[in-house]
Amino acid sequence: MSTTSTIDAPIRRTPLGVEIMTAETGPGRLPGERAPQPEHRPYAREAGEYLFVGLRSTTRLPDTDPVSVCLAPGDICFYDAHRPPALDFPERFRATVFLMPADLLGITPADAGRITRTPVARTSRLGALLSPLLSDLARTAARARPPVGDMLAGNAVNLLATLVAERLGSETEGPSDGQAPPVLARILEHVELHLTEPDLSPETLARAHHISVRYLHKLFQQEGTTLGRWILRRRLEECRRDLLRQDRRSRTIAAVAGRWGFTSATHFSRVFRTAYGMSPREWRDSAGRG
């Protein structure tokens, strides 16, 4: 039987406005701004770890029809932090909660209604890849000293942003019976660790994981993307986030681009504008005004 008490968990707060909570807990409601919404009720019948992402927004997210969502251990469930749902869960389970501004994930109010109604199943390809990584990042960030913990929290935001972009860009949604190959998870982790290196390439990745370049491209093709697009997106996300930091004026845009593997400032400005609809300088200036 669920209660209306908020999950009591240690909190890691970061300069990006992200809060991470992870703890063994009992039934309750997810952290948020107001009273729980009883008509929006995630429920589960198995003990285990569940991942939740609470979205904060300065714009009211659209109301959605009442819905009950059945979750399994390892599933990733997005929710509106202004209207947190109550939980109908087993007596004890592990909750990992990420609270963050919706715009950090590139989510518009129109997108929010879609992403909060459909959890990412642990059995889906992206769920199988990202659920364990997010869980590990949350636990490690909670124990790490601030500089390292903040960087790990940023990595979690990047993974979630990638997950959201892939789901919103997909024509069809729903869990898949097939599991992603374990090697793909190791490749994605390798990309994260070496994202700043300009020579990160299909050849170096294939060699590091003892596979052919052809098979490497096939793995990403099965995920509906390419290795090049994945790396470019991740680098742009890191650059966009760096341009928001408080010390942004002390570093040139070229220096930010170079830090994340871009060897040409001109190329960086072009792909940044294509991705976000404004130049890096316009983005930095608009953030400063905000």
Side-chain angles (χ1 to χ4, degrees):
M1 179 177 178
S2 63
T3 71
T4 56
S5 60
T6 305
I7 290 174
D8 183 17
I11 298 176
R12 154 75 69 174
R13 292 185 174 89
T14 75
L16 288 174
V18 178
E19 298 177 27
I20 301 177
M21 290 150 275
T22 179
E24 297 287 344
T25 187
R29 74 173 178 88
L30 292 169
E33 310 300 327
R34 301 177 186 170
Q37 300 293 301
E39 68 273 19
H40 291 79
R41 186 177 295 276
Y43 67 94
R45 297 294 175 258
E46 299 178 56
E49 181 179 18
Y50 295 81
L51 290 85
F52 302 96
V53 184
L55 304 175
R56 293 194 176 105
S57 177
T58 56
T59 304
R60 178 179 171 86
L61 300 181
D63 292 322
T64 57
D65 295 332
V67 62
S68 293
V69 178
C70 181
L71 299 177
D75 289 356
I76 305 169
C77 181
F78 292 80
Y79 70 94
D80 179 359
H82 291 291
R83 300 191 295 269
L87 297 177
D88 182 2
F89 268 53
E91 183 176 351
R92 301 299 297 176
F93 66 97
R94 185 172 185 83
T96 295
V97 183
F98 299 87
L99 276 174
M100 63 186 65
D103 57 4
L104 273 185
L105 303 182
I107 294 178
T108 66
D111 294 334
R114 295 168 56 192
I115 203 72
T116 56
R117 291 179 63 86
T118 308
V120 180
R122 176 66 172 81
T123 55
S124 68
R125 284 189 174 273
L126 277 177
L129 288 170
L130 299 186
S131 179
L133 289 176
L134 288 167
S135 175
D136 289 343
L137 281 172
R139 286 197 301 270
T140 307
R143 296 191 301 265
R145 293 180 179 275
V148 175
D150 294 346
M151 291 178 64
L152 292 171
N155 287 338
V157 171
N158 294 331
L159 291 174
L160 288 167
T162 300
L163 175 61
V164 167
E166 291 295 326
R167 286 184 65 80
L168 292 178
S170 175
E171 292 296 330
T172 59
E173 298 291 344
S176 168
D177 292 334
Q179 294 287 334
V183 67
L184 185 53
R186 295 195 297 270
I187 290 169
L188 293 180
E189 184 177 7
H190 186 105
V191 169
E192 292 298 315
L193 293 173
H194 298 271
L195 201 60
T196 60
E197 300 174 8
D199 59 351
L200 181 64
S201 68
E203 290 74 20
T204 58
L205 277 167
R207 187 163 54 249
H209 295 277
H210 310 289
I211 59 175
S212 68
V213 173
R214 181 179 179 182
Y215 180 59
L216 174 64
H217 287 308
K218 183 179 179 180
L219 288 173
F220 279 85
Q221 184 180 13
Q222 290 172 346
E223 300 303 315
T225 187
T226 67
L227 173 61
R229 286 206 303 265
W230 187 285
I231 293 174
L232 177 62
R233 176 192 295 163
R234 285 291 300 108
R235 284 175 168 163
L236 287 172
E237 288 168 349
E238 291 292 354
C239 289
R240 183 176 67 164
R241 195 159 291 115
D242 262 10
L243 291 170
L244 290 178
R245 297 186 185 280
Q246 292 183 350
D247 62 345
R248 57 186 175 273
R249 292 293 181 183
S250 65
R251 289 175 293 170
T252 66
I253 290 173
V256 171
R259 179 189 177 194
W260 292 106
F262 289 98
T263 57
S264 165
T266 301
H267 170 68
F268 167 65
S269 294
R270 183 169 63 250
V271 295
F272 190 99
R273 181 182 289 277
T274 299
Y276 302 120
M278 64 178 70
S279 71
R281 187 176 303 279
E282 289 168 338
W283 169 258
R284 185 183 65 181
D285 291 345
S286 65
R289 289 194 299 271

